[in-house]
């Protein structure tokens, strides 16, 4: 692999001139610049990012650590973050903690070793210990899909309590009086917030909390949803409506109901959460609470870059909470008499 000295020898200039062409082209005459660029092209020279990183003290990479890259919601978050990073001339490295605190800790250690520009993270560890350890490296980070106090750093999240109110309020307005909540791991704040919203909607309708029948799941994927659907079918009496903590769970529940000959929405109404692309394309188009995933990723990246570029130390941490939106489709149309 050709090095910078090879380029200088080929172009008949000093190593410093080659460096200027790469980093400060305006400081080099057009003729010399053209000669150096021709040598770079001919030799196939690629500058050493690791060497540049050692000089600058950080890389040009933003790290994004999410809970599950198998969930299209996080793919959209990544797209939004990548858009903002690319506008700033940076790249994004996407990693998956798989909801594991230990894997999260390993990735955060790797990010520190690589001196990334900053980290966007949806925490897997509910205690916050991993982030406390990472904070000592002085690398900025922004929480994604999490609420944070101003002292802890920036965060971009969605009002999931409001989302739960929208989902269950919609089902109640359609005449349902017993709702199953297919939830996920209870150490995730989003799961607790959506439950709180569901219970609030029941209370507003004058119904007791017992009208919400929870079906817990260890994971937030289609397989867990199918298992939850099987458990739903075994309930007596069976709730006439189901609110799922995300769309992947809802799609799994839909598969289980369909396989058992239970009609959606005639026998059981169904509402998901996130409004991923597959929601509208389901066999029965899925009503869902839309969260602006790409907007969340873009705003989080912009906050991160603002802090990373703050040489004067004037950056103020901010917590942005976005509003969810109910998207009504065929899976939750009012029951017919």
């Amino acid at each position: 692999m050709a090095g910078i000295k090879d380029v200088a020898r080929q172009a008949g200039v000093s190593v410093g001139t080659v460096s200027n062409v790469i980093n400060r082209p305006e400081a080099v005459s057009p003729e010399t610049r053209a000669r150096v660029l021709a040598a770079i092209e001919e030799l196939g020279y690629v500058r050493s990012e690791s060497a540049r990183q050692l000089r600058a003290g950080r890389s040009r990479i933003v790290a994004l650590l999410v809970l599950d890259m198998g969930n299209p919601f996080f793919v959209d978050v990544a797209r939004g973050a990548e858009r903002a990073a690319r506008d700033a001339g940076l790249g994004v490295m996407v990693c998956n903690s798989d909801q594991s605190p230990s894997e999260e800790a390993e990735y955060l250690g790797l990010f520190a070793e690589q001196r990334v520009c900053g980290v966007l993270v949806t925490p897997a560890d509910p205690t916050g210990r991993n982030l406390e350890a990472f904070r000592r490296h002085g690398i900025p980070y922004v929480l994604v899909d999490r609420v944070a106090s101003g002292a802890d750093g920036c965060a971009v999240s969605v009002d999931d309590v409001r989302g739960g109110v929208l989902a269950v309020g919609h089902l109640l307005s359609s005449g349902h009086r017993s709702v199953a909540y297919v939830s996920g791991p209870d150490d995730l704040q989003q799961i607790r917030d959506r439950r709180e919203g569901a219970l609030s909607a029941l209370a507003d309708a004058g119904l007791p909390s017992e009208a919400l029948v929870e079906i817990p799941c260890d994971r937030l994927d289609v397989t867990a949803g199918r298992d939850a659907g099987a458990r739903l079918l075994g309930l007596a009496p069976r709730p006439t409506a189901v609110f799922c903590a995300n769309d992947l769970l809802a799609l799994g529940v839909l598969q289980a109901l369909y396989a058992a000959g239970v009609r959606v929405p005639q026998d059981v109404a169904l509402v998901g959460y996130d409004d991923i692309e597959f929601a509208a394309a389901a066999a029965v188009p899925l009503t869902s609470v839309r969260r602006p995933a790409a907007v969340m990723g873009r705003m989080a990246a912009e906050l991160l870059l603002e802090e990373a570029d703050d040489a004067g130390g004037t950056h103020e941490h901010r917590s942005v909470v976005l509003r969810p939106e109910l998207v009504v489709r065929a899976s939750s149309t009012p029951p017919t008499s």
Side-chain angles (χ1 to χ4, degrees), residues 53 57-59 63 93 104-119 130 133-139:
Q53 182 176 322
R58 67 179 188 182
S59 74
M93 173 173 60
E104 175 183 83
E106 291 178 8
Y107 273 122
L108 290 173
L110 175 64
F111 299 157
E113 291 174 7
Q114 296 297 316
R115 302 180 184 178
V116 296
C117 179
V119 176
N130 289 339
F134 181 75
R135 189 179 292 124
R136 293 195 293 268
H137 296 285
I139 298 173

mmCIF file of all heavy atoms in Angstrom, residues 53 57-59 63 93 104-119 130 133-139:
data_model
loop_
_atom_site.group_PDB
_atom_site.id
_atom_site.type_symbol
_atom_site.label_atom_id
_atom_site.label_comp_id
_atom_site.label_asym_id
_atom_site.label_seq_id
_atom_site.Cartn_x
_atom_site.Cartn_y
_atom_site.Cartn_z
ATOM 1 N N GLN A 53 -6.517 10.190 13.327
ATOM 2 C CA GLN A 53 -7.229 10.100 14.593
ATOM 3 C C GLN A 53 -6.298 10.367 15.775
ATOM 4 O O GLN A 53 -6.668 11.036 16.733
ATOM 5 C CB GLN A 53 -7.853 8.712 14.697
ATOM 6 C CG GLN A 53 -8.662 8.472 15.943
ATOM 7 C CD GLN A 53 -9.308 7.099 15.891
ATOM 8 O OE1 GLN A 53 -9.751 6.647 14.849
ATOM 9 N NE2 GLN A 53 -9.343 6.443 17.032
ATOM 10 N N GLY A 57 -7.221 13.333 18.100
ATOM 11 C CA GLY A 57 -7.729 12.898 19.389
ATOM 12 C C GLY A 57 -9.080 12.225 19.321
ATOM 13 O O GLY A 57 -9.601 11.759 20.328
ATOM 14 N N ARG A 58 -9.707 12.175 18.142
ATOM 15 C CA ARG A 58 -10.978 11.481 17.980
ATOM 16 C C ARG A 58 -11.171 11.126 16.511
ATOM 17 O O ARG A 58 -10.536 11.698 15.620
ATOM 18 C CB ARG A 58 -12.153 12.340 18.454
ATOM 19 C CG ARG A 58 -12.399 13.579 17.598
ATOM 20 C CD ARG A 58 -13.585 14.375 18.114
ATOM 21 N NE ARG A 58 -13.933 15.447 17.196
ATOM 22 C CZ ARG A 58 -14.897 16.326 17.402
ATOM 23 N NH1 ARG A 58 -15.599 16.258 18.511
ATOM 24 N NH2 ARG A 58 -15.160 17.276 16.521
ATOM 25 N N SER A 59 -12.066 10.191 16.266
ATOM 26 C CA SER A 59 -12.309 9.744 14.898
ATOM 27 C C SER A 59 -13.430 10.568 14.265
ATOM 28 O O SER A 59 -14.015 11.437 14.903
ATOM 29 C CB SER A 59 -12.687 8.259 14.886
ATOM 30 O OG SER A 59 -14.003 8.086 15.372
ATOM 31 N N ALA A 63 -20.976 6.547 16.797
ATOM 32 C CA ALA A 63 -21.455 5.196 17.107
ATOM 33 C C ALA A 63 -22.918 5.244 17.496
ATOM 34 O O ALA A 63 -23.347 6.141 18.226
ATOM 35 C CB ALA A 63 -20.626 4.587 18.234
ATOM 36 N N MET A 93 -21.380 4.177 12.770
ATOM 37 C CA MET A 93 -21.161 2.757 13.034
ATOM 38 C C MET A 93 -22.322 2.261 13.883
ATOM 39 O O MET A 93 -22.522 2.733 15.002
ATOM 40 C CB MET A 93 -19.832 2.546 13.762
ATOM 41 C CG MET A 93 -19.595 1.117 14.222
ATOM 42 S SD MET A 93 -17.927 0.857 14.900
ATOM 43 C CE MET A 93 -17.910 2.024 16.267
ATOM 44 N N GLU A 104 -23.729 -4.408 25.857
ATOM 45 C CA GLU A 104 -23.692 -2.949 25.849
ATOM 46 C C GLU A 104 -22.380 -2.448 26.451
ATOM 47 O O GLU A 104 -21.727 -1.552 25.884
ATOM 48 C CB GLU A 104 -24.873 -2.400 26.639
ATOM 49 C CG GLU A 104 -24.868 -0.884 26.796
ATOM 50 C CD GLU A 104 -26.033 -0.417 27.646
ATOM 51 O OE1 GLU A 104 -25.911 -0.449 28.895
ATOM 52 O OE2 GLU A 104 -27.053 -0.028 27.064
ATOM 53 N N ALA A 105 -21.966 -3.007 27.574
ATOM 54 C CA ALA A 105 -20.724 -2.588 28.229
ATOM 55 C C ALA A 105 -19.524 -2.835 27.320
ATOM 56 O O ALA A 105 -18.612 -1.994 27.234
ATOM 57 C CB ALA A 105 -20.557 -3.328 29.552
ATOM 58 N N GLU A 106 -19.503 -3.974 26.624
ATOM 59 C CA GLU A 106 -18.400 -4.278 25.721
ATOM 60 C C GLU A 106 -18.337 -3.280 24.573
ATOM 61 O O GLU A 106 -17.259 -2.817 24.190
ATOM 62 C CB GLU A 106 -18.545 -5.705 25.184
ATOM 63 C CG GLU A 106 -18.311 -6.778 26.245
ATOM 64 C CD GLU A 106 -18.518 -8.182 25.681
ATOM 65 O OE1 GLU A 106 -18.694 -8.303 24.445
ATOM 66 O OE2 GLU A 106 -18.504 -9.143 26.470
ATOM 67 N N TYR A 107 -19.491 -2.954 24.011
ATOM 68 C CA TYR A 107 -19.500 -1.988 22.907
ATOM 69 C C TYR A 107 -19.064 -0.597 23.368
ATOM 70 O O TYR A 107 -18.309 0.098 22.672
ATOM 71 C CB TYR A 107 -20.887 -1.920 22.276
ATOM 72 C CG TYR A 107 -21.106 -2.954 21.198
ATOM 73 C CD1 TYR A 107 -22.129 -3.878 21.286
ATOM 74 C CD2 TYR A 107 -20.284 -3.004 20.061
ATOM 75 C CE1 TYR A 107 -22.337 -4.824 20.299
ATOM 76 C CE2 TYR A 107 -20.474 -3.939 19.079
ATOM 77 C CZ TYR A 107 -21.507 -4.852 19.196
ATOM 78 O OH TYR A 107 -21.702 -5.784 18.212
ATOM 79 N N LEU A 108 -19.527 -0.179 24.528
ATOM 80 C CA LEU A 108 -19.129 1.138 25.024
ATOM 81 C C LEU A 108 -17.619 1.191 25.256
ATOM 82 O O LEU A 108 -16.973 2.211 24.993
ATOM 83 C CB LEU A 108 -19.888 1.471 26.307
ATOM 84 C CG LEU A 108 -21.391 1.757 26.134
ATOM 85 C CD1 LEU A 108 -22.060 1.912 27.492
ATOM 86 C CD2 LEU A 108 -21.618 2.998 25.277
ATOM 87 N N GLY A 109 -17.041 0.084 25.723
ATOM 88 C CA GLY A 109 -15.593 0.011 25.863
ATOM 89 C C GLY A 109 -14.893 0.105 24.524
ATOM 90 O O GLY A 109 -13.867 0.789 24.383
ATOM 91 N N LEU A 110 -15.448 -0.556 23.513
ATOM 92 C CA LEU A 110 -14.882 -0.489 22.167
ATOM 93 C C LEU A 110 -14.949 0.926 21.614
ATOM 94 O O LEU A 110 -13.984 1.418 21.001
ATOM 95 C CB LEU A 110 -15.644 -1.447 21.245
ATOM 96 C CG LEU A 110 -15.254 -1.423 19.762
ATOM 97 C CD1 LEU A 110 -13.811 -1.874 19.573
ATOM 98 C CD2 LEU A 110 -16.210 -2.298 18.955
ATOM 99 N N PHE A 111 -16.070 1.613 21.842
ATOM 100 C CA PHE A 111 -16.204 2.987 21.359
ATOM 101 C C PHE A 111 -15.150 3.894 21.982
ATOM 102 O O PHE A 111 -14.597 4.779 21.313
ATOM 103 C CB PHE A 111 -17.599 3.529 21.672
ATOM 104 C CG PHE A 111 -18.727 2.768 21.045
ATOM 105 C CD1 PHE A 111 -20.007 2.816 21.589
ATOM 106 C CD2 PHE A 111 -18.525 2.002 19.907
ATOM 107 C CE1 PHE A 111 -21.051 2.113 21.020
ATOM 108 C CE2 PHE A 111 -19.564 1.295 19.320
ATOM 109 C CZ PHE A 111 -20.831 1.349 19.885
ATOM 110 N N ALA A 112 -14.874 3.682 23.270
ATOM 111 C CA ALA A 112 -13.855 4.483 23.943
ATOM 112 C C ALA A 112 -12.477 4.197 23.352
ATOM 113 O O ALA A 112 -11.682 5.121 23.123
ATOM 114 C CB ALA A 112 -13.867 4.198 25.441
ATOM 115 N N GLU A 113 -12.190 2.923 23.080
ATOM 116 C CA GLU A 113 -10.899 2.565 22.488
ATOM 117 C C GLU A 113 -10.724 3.188 21.101
ATOM 118 O O GLU A 113 -9.626 3.616 20.734
ATOM 119 C CB GLU A 113 -10.790 1.044 22.375
ATOM 120 C CG GLU A 113 -10.660 0.322 23.705
ATOM 121 C CD GLU A 113 -10.706 -1.184 23.519
ATOM 122 O OE1 GLU A 113 -10.712 -1.636 22.347
ATOM 123 O OE2 GLU A 113 -10.739 -1.905 24.535
ATOM 124 N N GLN A 114 -11.806 3.242 20.348
ATOM 125 C CA GLN A 114 -11.754 3.776 18.996
ATOM 126 C C GLN A 114 -11.858 5.297 18.947
ATOM 127 O O GLN A 114 -11.804 5.887 17.874
ATOM 128 C CB GLN A 114 -12.880 3.168 18.148
ATOM 129 C CG GLN A 114 -12.755 1.665 17.948
ATOM 130 C CD GLN A 114 -11.499 1.290 17.194
ATOM 131 O OE1 GLN A 114 -11.141 1.917 16.199
ATOM 132 N NE2 GLN A 114 -10.793 0.273 17.683
ATOM 133 N N ARG A 115 -12.029 5.906 20.095
ATOM 134 C CA ARG A 115 -12.112 7.370 20.188
ATOM 135 C C ARG A 115 -13.156 7.937 19.231
ATOM 136 O O ARG A 115 -12.891 8.860 18.447
ATOM 137 C CB ARG A 115 -10.742 8.010 19.901
ATOM 138 C CG ARG A 115 -9.643 7.547 20.833
ATOM 139 C CD ARG A 115 -8.322 8.205 20.493
ATOM 140 N NE ARG A 115 -7.245 7.697 21.337
ATOM 141 C CZ ARG A 115 -5.972 8.080 21.225
ATOM 142 N NH1 ARG A 115 -5.627 8.947 20.304
ATOM 143 N NH2 ARG A 115 -5.069 7.576 22.026
ATOM 144 N N VAL A 116 -14.350 7.360 19.274
ATOM 145 C CA VAL A 116 -15.403 7.829 18.389
ATOM 146 C C VAL A 116 -15.746 9.278 18.702
ATOM 147 O O VAL A 116 -15.496 9.775 19.806
ATOM 148 C CB VAL A 116 -16.662 6.948 18.513
ATOM 149 C CG1 VAL A 116 -16.385 5.521 18.065
ATOM 150 C CG2 VAL A 116 -17.221 6.981 19.929
ATOM 151 N N CYS A 117 -16.322 9.936 17.714
ATOM 152 C CA CYS A 117 -16.703 11.338 17.883
ATOM 153 C C CYS A 117 -17.763 11.494 18.966
ATOM 154 O O CYS A 117 -17.787 12.473 19.703
ATOM 155 C CB CYS A 117 -17.210 11.865 16.541
ATOM 156 S SG CYS A 117 -17.767 13.569 16.561
ATOM 157 N N GLY A 118 -18.651 10.512 19.057
ATOM 158 C CA GLY A 118 -19.716 10.539 20.053
ATOM 159 C C GLY A 118 -20.549 9.288 19.911
ATOM 160 O O GLY A 118 -20.376 8.506 18.973
ATOM 161 N N VAL A 119 -21.485 9.094 20.831
ATOM 162 C CA VAL A 119 -22.289 7.871 20.864
ATOM 163 C C VAL A 119 -23.763 8.226 21.004
ATOM 164 O O VAL A 119 -24.145 9.039 21.848
ATOM 165 C CB VAL A 119 -21.863 6.961 22.037
ATOM 166 C CG1 VAL A 119 -22.772 5.739 22.123
ATOM 167 C CG2 VAL A 119 -20.408 6.537 21.889
ATOM 168 N N ASN A 130 -23.404 1.221 33.066
ATOM 169 C CA ASN A 130 -22.543 1.211 31.881
ATOM 170 C C ASN A 130 -22.255 2.624 31.394
ATOM 171 O O ASN A 130 -21.125 2.951 31.025
ATOM 172 C CB ASN A 130 -23.192 0.400 30.754
ATOM 173 C CG ASN A 130 -23.193 -1.090 31.039
ATOM 174 O OD1 ASN A 130 -22.406 -1.580 31.844
ATOM 175 N ND2 ASN A 130 -24.087 -1.815 30.386
ATOM 176 N N ALA A 133 -19.796 4.502 33.686
ATOM 177 C CA ALA A 133 -18.402 4.153 33.410
ATOM 178 C C ALA A 133 -17.917 4.812 32.127
ATOM 179 O O ALA A 133 -16.776 5.288 32.042
ATOM 180 C CB ALA A 133 -18.261 2.634 33.311
ATOM 181 N N PHE A 134 -18.781 4.867 31.125
ATOM 182 C CA PHE A 134 -18.395 5.446 29.841
ATOM 183 C C PHE A 134 -18.180 6.955 29.952
ATOM 184 O O PHE A 134 -17.329 7.527 29.276
ATOM 185 C CB PHE A 134 -19.480 5.140 28.805
ATOM 186 C CG PHE A 134 -19.176 5.663 27.430
ATOM 187 C CD1 PHE A 134 -18.243 5.033 26.620
ATOM 188 C CD2 PHE A 134 -19.818 6.790 26.937
ATOM 189 C CE1 PHE A 134 -17.952 5.513 25.361
ATOM 190 C CE2 PHE A 134 -19.549 7.275 25.680
ATOM 191 C CZ PHE A 134 -18.602 6.624 24.891
ATOM 192 N N ARG A 135 -18.942 7.598 30.830
ATOM 193 C CA ARG A 135 -18.877 9.056 30.970
ATOM 194 C C ARG A 135 -17.475 9.528 31.344
ATOM 195 O O ARG A 135 -17.059 10.632 30.993
ATOM 196 C CB ARG A 135 -19.896 9.503 32.026
ATOM 197 C CG ARG A 135 -20.086 11.008 32.107
ATOM 198 C CD ARG A 135 -21.122 11.368 33.158
ATOM 199 N NE ARG A 135 -22.457 10.935 32.773
ATOM 200 C CZ ARG A 135 -23.233 10.141 33.512
ATOM 201 N NH1 ARG A 135 -22.793 9.680 34.665
ATOM 202 N NH2 ARG A 135 -24.430 9.820 33.103
ATOM 203 N N ARG A 136 -16.703 8.668 32.002
ATOM 204 C CA ARG A 136 -15.361 9.065 32.436
ATOM 205 C C ARG A 136 -14.412 9.296 31.265
ATOM 206 O O ARG A 136 -13.384 9.954 31.430
ATOM 207 C CB ARG A 136 -14.778 7.997 33.379
ATOM 208 C CG ARG A 136 -15.498 7.872 34.703
ATOM 209 C CD ARG A 136 -14.668 7.088 35.703
ATOM 210 N NE ARG A 136 -14.523 5.699 35.317
ATOM 211 C CZ ARG A 136 -15.346 4.731 35.710
ATOM 212 N NH1 ARG A 136 -16.370 5.024 36.488
ATOM 213 N NH2 ARG A 136 -15.152 3.482 35.336
ATOM 214 N N HIS A 137 -14.737 8.766 30.090
ATOM 215 C CA HIS A 137 -13.862 8.940 28.936
ATOM 216 C C HIS A 137 -14.017 10.316 28.281
ATOM 217 O O HIS A 137 -13.235 10.668 27.394
ATOM 218 C CB HIS A 137 -14.144 7.852 27.895
ATOM 219 C CG HIS A 137 -13.839 6.467 28.385
ATOM 220 N ND1 HIS A 137 -12.557 5.985 28.504
ATOM 221 C CD2 HIS A 137 -14.655 5.463 28.799
ATOM 222 C CE1 HIS A 137 -12.592 4.745 28.959
ATOM 223 N NE2 HIS A 137 -13.844 4.407 29.152
ATOM 224 N N GLY A 138 -15.011 11.074 28.706
ATOM 225 C CA GLY A 138 -15.188 12.412 28.161
ATOM 226 C C GLY A 138 -15.733 12.430 26.746
ATOM 227 O O GLY A 138 -15.636 13.458 26.053
ATOM 228 N N ILE A 139 -16.293 11.329 26.276
ATOM 229 C CA ILE A 139 -16.882 11.264 24.937
ATOM 230 C C ILE A 139 -18.364 11.607 25.049
ATOM 231 O O ILE A 139 -19.075 11.010 25.856
ATOM 232 C CB ILE A 139 -16.709 9.857 24.327
ATOM 233 C CG1 ILE A 139 -15.223 9.539 24.175
ATOM 234 C CG2 ILE A 139 -17.408 9.757 22.979
ATOM 235 C CD1 ILE A 139 -14.949 8.106 23.734
#
